[in-house]
Amino acid sequence: MNKMNKKILQLAIPSIISNITVPLLGLIDVTIVGHLGSAAYIGAIAVGGLLFNIIYWSFGFLRMGTSGLTSQAYGKRDLDEVVRILVRAVSVGLFIAALLFVFQYPIEKIAFYLLDTSEEVRSLASVYFRICIWGAPAVLGLYGFVGWFIGMQNSRFPMFIAIMQNILNIIFSLVLVFGFHLKVEGVAFGTLLAQYGGLLMAFVLWLRYYKKLRVRICIKQSLELRAMRRFFSVNGDIFLRTLCLIAVTTFFTSTGAKQGDVVLAVNTLLMQLFTLFSYIMDGFAYAGEALSGRYAGAGNMTSLRRAVRTLFYWGTGLAFFFTLLYGMGGEGFLSLLTNNQDVIEEANTYFYWVLAIPFAGFAAFLWDGVCIGVTATRSMLYSMFVAMAGFFLVYFVFQTNMGNHALWMAFLIYLSLRGLLLTGWYFRFVPGNR
C-alpha cells in the first residue's frame, strides 16, 4: 500500500466508524422508550430527535468550515492560526447555542405547529425538547473540536468521542428511565449528559495531546474582525449549501408521504441503502478535507492532485462494490427491515434507481470534501444550488407521468449534477489540471 492510500485510510476508517455511531444515539433512545408501554413515547422521541437533527444539521458548518481552515493552517505550519481557528469555532458555537436558548420558546412553537402530531405526542416531545435544548453548547462546541481534530489529520479522537457518547447515553438513560422511572425525561437527561460528556472528553484530549499549543491561545487575536469575516464567509457558504440540502431531503420525504403509506415506507427503506453508502463515502470525504486542506495550505499542488486521484480510485471501487452488493443482496436487506410483502414488492419496482446511486453520487461526496479542504465553498454552494434547481425541475416536469419514479430520477440527477459541476471546477481552477 503506497503512502497516500495509507494516509487516506488512516483518516477515513475512524471517520466511517464515527458516522455509523451517529444513528445509534437515536436508536438507543427509541429502543428504551419502546419498552415503556405506549406508542406515544416512541413518537415523542422520534419527533424530538427529528427537530434536533434539523437544528444541528443547519449548523454543521461549524465542523466542516473548521476542518478546512484548520487543515490549511496545519499545512502552512502556522500553529498560532491553528489555535485561533479552534477558539473561533468554539466561540461561535457557544454564541449560536446562546441564541437557541433565547429563542427556544418560538422555535418550539413554530416546530410543533408545523409537525402534525397527536396532543399526547406533542406534550411529551415538548418535554424532551425543553430538556435537550440545554445540550446545544455541548453539541455545537463539539462540532468545533471535531472539525479541528480532523483538520489536524486526527480522525481517531472524534471516533473515540462518538463511541464514548453512545456508552454514556446507554448507561445514563437506562439508569434514569428504569432506575428512577423518569420515562421521557430520563431519556432526555441521558442524552444531555452524554452530550456534555463528549464535549468534556474532547477538551481533555486536547489538553492532554495538544498541551504545547496552550501557550498560543490569544482570545483577542482569535476574534479579530478580519479573521472573523473570513470564518463567516466560508461558513456562510456551507450554511446556505446545507439549507439547500435540507430542502431537497425534506421535499423528498414529504412528497413520498403524500403518495400514501406504502410509497412512504418504500422510499424510507430504500433511502436506508443510500444512507449506508453515504456513511462510507463521508469517511473518505473527511479524508479529502484533511489532506486537500493540508496540501493546499503548504502550496503542494502535486500532492493535492495525487490525493484527489487516489480518493477517486477509492470512490470508483466503492461504487462498484456497493452496486454489486445492492444488486445481489438488496432485497434480502429490505427483508431484514420489514416483513411487509406489499412494501417489499413495491420497493422492487424502484430498485433500479437505488442501483444507480453509488455511481451517481460518489463524486459529489468526494468533491465536497476537497472543496471544504481548500475552502472553495462558494463553488460548492453554486453547484448545490444548480443541482437543487435541477432536482425540482425534473420532478415537476415528469411527476404527472412517472409519479414516484420522477422523485427518484430527480434525486439521481441532483447527485450527478453536483459531481459533474465540481469536476468542472477542479479541472478549471486547480493548477496543473488544464
Side-chain angles (χ1 to χ4, degrees):
M1 181 182 298
N2 64 40
K3 290 183 179 180
M4 188 61 70
N5 278 315
K6 185 176 181 180
K7 289 178 181 178
I8 289 173
L9 291 178
Q10 285 176 337
L11 290 163
I13 291 175
S15 296
I16 292 168
I17 295 172
S18 298
N19 289 341
I20 292 172
T21 66
V22 170
L24 289 179
L25 283 169
L27 181 62
I28 290 164
D29 290 346
V30 170
T31 301
I32 290 173
V33 298
H35 290 81
L36 295 180
S38 172
Y41 292 126
I42 298 176
I45 296 301
V47 170
L50 172 64
L51 178 55
F52 280 109
N53 284 342
I54 293 172
I55 292 172
Y56 293 141
W57 195 9
S58 300
F59 300 114
F61 63 80
L62 286 170
R63 188 210 64 76
M64 291 183 280
T66 302
S67 172
L69 293 168
T70 303
S71 60
Q72 288 189 28
Y74 178 83
K76 294 175 183 175
R77 307 306 299 167
D78 186 349
L79 296 183
D80 288 330
E81 180 62 11
V82 160
V83 175
R84 289 195 289 263
I85 291 169
L86 177 61
V87 173
R88 277 180 214 127
V90 174
S91 299
V92 171
L94 295 178
F95 176 73
I96 294 172
L99 292 179
L100 291 175
F101 288 161
V102 172
F103 294 105
Q104 62 177 285
Y105 182 77
I107 290 172
E108 178 187 345
K109 289 300 179 184
I110 293 170
F112 289 113
Y113 174 78
L114 296 174
L115 294 170
D116 187 16
T117 65
S118 69
E119 190 59 39
E120 184 179 8
V121 168
R122 180 176 300 183
S123 176
L124 293 170
S126 294
V127 171
Y128 183 85
F129 174 84
R130 291 168 190 170
I131 295 172
C132 286
I133 191 65
W134 295 99
V139 174
L140 299 179
L142 187 56
Y143 279 1
F145 272 105
V146 168
W148 191 85
F149 287 140
I150 291 173
M152 294 293 287
Q153 320 295 297
N154 180 356
S155 60
R156 292 177 298 111
F157 283 3
M159 177 185 69
F160 297 154
I161 293 166
I163 293 171
M164 191 275 296
Q165 279 188 309
N166 277 285
I167 293 172
L168 288 180
N169 190 41
I170 293 171
I171 294 172
F172 287 136
S173 295
L174 286 174
V175 170
L176 292 171
V177 172
F178 297 109
F180 291 86
H181 309 290
L182 290 181
K183 298 185 178 179
V184 167
E185 296 92 334
V187 172
F189 279 117
T191 300
L192 184 68
L193 291 170
Q195 289 167 343
Y196 278 100
L199 179 63
L200 177 62
M201 183 176 181
F203 185 64
V204 170
L205 288 171
W206 189 84
L207 288 177
R208 173 67 178 83
Y209 292 95
Y210 297 96
K211 56 187 175 184
K212 292 182 180 179
L213 298 179
R214 277 185 277 180
V215 297
R216 298 177 183 272
I217 295 176
C218 180
I219 303 297
K220 184 177 180 180
Q221 289 183 4
S222 299
L223 304 181
E224 189 267 330
L225 183 59
R226 187 172 63 178
M228 290 297 290
R229 282 176 180 167
R230 187 189 178 215
F231 185 85
F232 280 110
S233 174
V234 168
N235 286 301
D237 291 337
I238 298 174
F239 174 70
L240 293 174
R241 171 256 186 196
T242 302
L243 292 183
C244 293
L245 182 60
I246 290 173
V248 170
T249 54
T250 302
F251 182 85
F252 187 98
T253 302
S254 62
T255 302
K258 292 176 183 177
Q259 298 181 55
D261 291 345
V262 172
V263 170
L264 175 60
V266 165
N267 287 354
T268 301
L269 292 178
L270 292 180
M271 262 297 170
Q272 301 311 304
L273 299 176
F274 170 73
T275 301
L276 176 61
F277 178 68
S278 72
Y279 287 153
I280 306 301
M281 292 312 305
D282 265 339
F284 285 87
Y286 290 173
E289 291 176 25
L291 293 174
S292 62
R294 174 182 177 179
Y295 295 135
N300 187 347
M301 294 298 107
T302 299
S303 291
L304 172 61
R305 292 191 296 273
R306 186 182 303 121
V308 170
R309 284 197 303 270
T310 307
L311 282 167
F312 270 80
Y313 292 150
W314 279 103
T316 304
L318 287 167
F320 271 114
F321 173 77
F322 274 93
T323 300
L324 291 173
L325 179 65
Y326 292 162
M328 294 186 295
E331 186 172 342
F333 180 74
L334 293 179
S335 298
L336 292 175
L337 299 177
T338 181
N339 59 1
N340 188 316
Q341 287 302 311
D342 291 337
V343 172
I344 293 174
E345 289 176 11
E346 183 71 13
N348 287 332
T349 66
Y350 299 99
F351 207 78
Y352 57 88
W353 295 115
V354 175
L355 292 178
I357 281 177
F359 277 100
F362 82 92
F365 285 98
L366 296 179
W367 284 132
D368 277 355
V370 173
C371 285
I372 289 169
V374 302
T375 57
T377 52
R378 186 59 51 88
S379 296
M380 189 170 69
L381 172 61
Y382 289 158
S383 70
M384 175 62 81
F385 184 79
V386 172
M388 180 185 70
F391 169 84
F392 287 112
L393 177 64
V394 169
Y395 175 73
F396 286 114
V397 168
F398 292 98
Q399 64 165 324
T400 303
N401 296 325
M402 297 182 64
N404 194 50
H405 287 280
L407 194 61
W408 280 98
M409 181 171 67
F411 185 70
L412 287 174
I413 288 175
Y414 153 79
L415 290 174
S416 302
L417 275 175
R418 286 174 57 197
L420 289 171
L421 291 169
L422 290 174
T423 300
W425 158 81
Y426 175 74
F427 282 99
R428 182 176 179 184
F429 292 107
V430 174
N433 287 311
R434 295 181 180 85

